[in-house]
Amino acid sequence: MTTIKLHNTKTRQKEVFEPIDADNVRMYVCGPTVYDRAHLGNARPVVVFDVLNRLLRHVYGPDHVTYVRNFTDVDDKINKRAADSGRSIGEITDETIGWFLGDMAALGAIEPDKMPRATEFIPQMVAMIEGLIASDHAYVADGHVLFAVESYAKYGALSGRSIKDMIAGARVEIAPYKRNPMDFILWKPSVGDQPGWESPWGFGRPGWHIECSAMSYELLGASFDIHGGGNDLMFPHHENEIAQSCCAHPKADFARYWLHNEMLQVEGKKMSKSLGNFFTVRDLLNGHDGQPPVPGEVIRFVFLSTHYRKPMDWTQKKAAEAYKILKRWRSYASNVSLEVGDGIEPISNVIEAIADDLNTPLALTHLLDFEKKNLRGNSTEMKDIVSFQRTLRLLGLDGRAVDTARFPREVQDEFNKMGIQKQVCAAIDAARVEKNFSKADEIRDKVKAAGFEVHITANGAALSETLVSDYSKLVMLK
Ligand code: AMP
Ligand code: ZN
């Protein structure tokens, strides 16, 4: 079995990953607050943890991984958006969730197994808060419930800060009812149009952090394997999640491995809504500000070309380079049935690179090397094409992440080319089924003359391009 190593923020070390239960590897990742289109930065954790999810499924089996990512659908930014637009909160969150899933699918991200919405877990949050009050980790003050950070000795351990440093460095909300300025809100009163639920502390709504503690407990249990998110969430969100969960379930570990992705930057600054230096994933997919549309797969490739623990910049140059490579890669594999050749594995050094703390840039380098060595000549072997294509599929770069309606002309042409290949293969297959081998050979010769290679596999004919492939000659054969 492949050994997976992950950098654990908790220990600041790369560690061998050992799941609590190899039959059910469990991962929780903090998802978006749903009030607007995802910007490109928001997509980074989605792609990073999608790669990890795919790796875990490859190693432990697709039915032995549970991946949970939440939607924060109760938040003051959502309330403001509703008030400003005159629309209901439900309408806004439903619409935004639809956009998010569509945009992330275009980037080749497999949907997590469970995507809980905070508003569906209010009773569980209330129960957890009641437990924290009963065990003196939380207190009621002025209609609010607050977590008492001093009641948890390890507060700050994840990000390696003391309470004093945190007070100095953070914009903590000073409120007269707080015992310690670092104490954070578990529950707060709702008035007027604010959404709310009945609770032992009056009509109100949860603070942000408690949702992840309550939902991960409900869906994954008190101890689970991996918790992920952007490193901007490490403090205070993840510190607060740890404090709540570990105090509510003192015998459990909560999350064993903490993974944080670095930020996507624009000219050295984090891309964020508040700085206004953002563009959305949809902007890129559709084309914006005079730029051509960028296929989702190209965005994904550019993301993978930087290690997740390094800051990355989005540049047009990187996108153009990725585009060229992917176009070439697709041509090798365009008509290969992956059902061919049982037992052909994805390329081993690519898997090893991914398993080594998700070293995706190295994985891409290995793919390029493999291409140069095995796919560029005139005697490509079917097993190499299949292995290459299986590797692309594992990485989500196999052309399935298509937002076809939005694809630029050139890429649509690419799909048409594949259509032509399929039709020609069908003609060869039909001749062979009729046992009209001379006809099959005749078509094969013409296909070769058009600069393609023909592979006869257990699943029928397949073509691959060479450097001299000429589609116009192939069209004549249809
Ligand atoms: P938010 O909706 O702001 O809570 O963010 C949702 C997710 O996107 C979180 O995991 C954040 O860490 C992540 N995120 C936000 N901005 C960026 C960025 N510029 N680069 C990478 N991840 C980001
Ligand atoms: Zn969270």
Side-chain angles (χ1 to χ4, degrees):
M1 186 182 273
T2 309
T3 302
I4 299 178
K5 288 189 196 148
L6 299 172
H7 182 271
N8 190 349
T9 310
K10 207 154 120 178
T11 57
R12 285 158 190 76
Q13 272 173 19
K14 198 146 80 171
E15 296 174 357
V16 172
F17 174 69
E18 280 166 15
I20 299 167
D21 174 6
D23 281 337
N24 184 18
V25 181
R26 287 159 287 164
M27 171 160 81
Y28 185 96
V29 174
C30 296
T33 305
V34 283
Y35 65 101
D36 206 352
R37 284 260 183 211
H39 64 64
L40 193 64
N42 297 136
R44 193 169 188 200
V46 173
V47 172
V48 165
F49 292 102
D50 179 63
V51 172
L52 180 52
N53 182 32
R54 286 165 179 269
L55 173 70
L56 294 171
R57 276 165 208 268
H58 175 70
V59 174
Y60 295 96
D63 300 330
H64 300 288
V65 178
T66 308
Y67 174 22
V68 178
R69 187 185 63 217
N70 67 307
F71 286 116
T72 300
D73 63 349
V74 49
D75 183 275
D76 290 346
K77 288 193 263 309
I78 306 173
N79 305 344
K80 182 169 182 322
R81 185 57 59 107
D84 290 349
S85 63
R87 298 169 71 202
S88 74
I89 287 176
E91 248 178 273
I92 289 174
T93 54
D94 281 352
E95 179 181 67
T96 314
I97 288 172
W99 286 340
F100 184 83
L101 294 177
D103 293 349
M104 298 309 132
L107 304 188
I110 300 172
E111 282 189 6
D113 303 287
K114 292 178 185 164
M115 296 188 282
R117 300 183 185 198
T119 51
E120 290 165 353
F121 287 81
I122 301 290
Q124 291 84 345
M125 293 186 221
V126 168
M128 194 176 245
I129 297 171
E130 283 181 308
L132 290 171
I133 297 174
S135 55
D136 283 335
H137 290 292
Y139 57 95
V140 185
D142 206 10
H144 294 69
V145 185
L146 290 123
F147 186 92
V149 291
E150 274 163 306
S151 75
Y152 180 57
K154 292 191 197 147
Y155 190 76
L158 180 73
S159 50
R161 313 176 198 210
S162 69
I163 293 190
K164 227 168 105 198
D165 291 346
M166 285 187 272
I167 295 175
R171 280 182 292 156
V172 285
E173 203 190 331
I174 310 284
Y177 49 79
K178 285 188 182 177
R179 287 184 196 161
N180 179 312
M182 291 307 296
D183 290 351
F184 58 89
I185 289 175
L186 298 172
W187 189 264
K188 59 187 170 187
S190 294
V191 290
D193 289 344
Q194 290 171 334
W197 293 263
E198 290 303 339
S199 82
W201 322 286
F203 187 72
R205 61 195 191 282
W208 168 31
H209 317 293
I210 191 73
E211 73 178 75
C212 291
S213 288
M215 293 191 288
S216 61
Y217 175 67
E218 284 298 315
L219 300 172
L220 297 175
S223 302
F224 57 93
D225 299 298
I226 300 170
H227 192 311
N231 67 358
D232 56 337
L233 300 183
M234 205 187 297
F235 174 79
H237 183 55
H238 291 161
E239 291 289 3
N240 294 355
E241 276 188 40
I242 293 175
Q244 295 159 162
S245 294
C246 292
C247 292
H249 308 288
K251 293 209 177 81
D253 298 335
F254 189 39
R256 293 192 163 186
Y257 300 82
W258 282 84
L259 267 71
H260 289 99
N261 63 274
E262 251 293 352
M263 294 291 104
L264 185 95
Q265 302 188 333
V266 185
E267 283 156 24
K269 291 212 170 76
K270 173 188 169 186
M271 176 181 277
S272 74
K273 290 251 162 68
S274 53
L275 289 174
N277 61 350
F278 69 96
F279 42 88
T280 66
V281 175
R282 189 44 61 181
D283 285 338
L284 277 187
L285 292 171
N286 288 359
H288 71 121
D289 294 335
Q291 303 283 352
V294 184
E297 221 178 310
V298 170
I299 302 175
R300 184 176 179 94
F301 187 107
V302 173
F303 276 10
L304 299 190
S305 65
T306 300
H307 190 255
Y308 78 97
R309 289 198 291 115
K310 296 223 168 84
M312 77 163 280
D313 271 319
W314 171 266
T315 64
Q316 283 294 333
K317 191 162 163 251
K318 285 184 191 170
E321 184 58 26
Y323 192 97
K324 269 200 296 202
I325 295 171
L326 282 169
K327 216 169 147 239
R328 221 170 53 222
W329 284 4
R330 216 182 261 185
S331 72
Y332 300 126
S334 57
N335 207 15
V336 174
S337 162
L338 289 190
E339 296 8 288
V340 177
D342 256 1
I344 298 180
E345 291 293 326
I347 304 163
S348 59
N349 63 0
V350 177
I351 304 296
E352 280 159 25
I354 305 288
D356 186 10
D357 195 31
L358 310 183
N359 194 342
T360 51
L362 182 63
L364 294 179
T365 303
H366 287 328
L367 273 162
L368 287 164
D369 288 345
F370 185 92
E371 176 196 11
K372 205 148 125 201
K373 202 161 133 234
N374 302 301
L375 306 180
R376 283 210 167 165
N378 274 329
S379 54
T380 308
E381 286 189 48
M382 195 59 170
K383 71 170 182 14
D384 288 335
I385 302 182
V386 172
S387 179
F388 188 69
Q389 180 68 347
R390 287 200 171 144
T391 316
L392 295 188
R393 176 176 284 190
L394 205 139
L395 288 175
L397 292 173
D398 60 335
R400 292 193 157 202
V402 284
D403 198 9
T404 31
R406 302 291 180 189
F407 254 49
R409 172 94 262 134
E410 206 184 338
V411 177
Q412 286 190 21
D413 288 349
E414 204 68 25
F415 285 119
N416 291 337
K417 286 179 186 172
M418 284 178 216
I420 298 165
Q421 286 199 14
K422 282 214 175 83
Q423 291 177 42
V424 172
C425 290
I428 298 173
D429 290 343
R432 289 172 58 83
V433 168
E434 288 164 12
K435 301 212 182 309
N436 189 344
F437 296 110
S438 62
K439 186 174 171 197
D441 285 345
E442 192 186 319
I443 305 174
R444 279 173 74 163
D445 288 343
K446 288 184 182 162
V447 171
K448 279 188 192 157
F452 292 83
E453 288 190 52
V454 184
H455 314 272
I456 302 294
T457 74
N459 279 31
L463 305 192
S464 59
E465 279 184 357
T466 68
L467 289 175
V468 292
S469 298
D470 180 345
Y471 276 91
S472 62
K473 287 191 190 148
L474 205 59
V475 173
M476 312 294 287
L477 291 174
K478 279 203 295 175

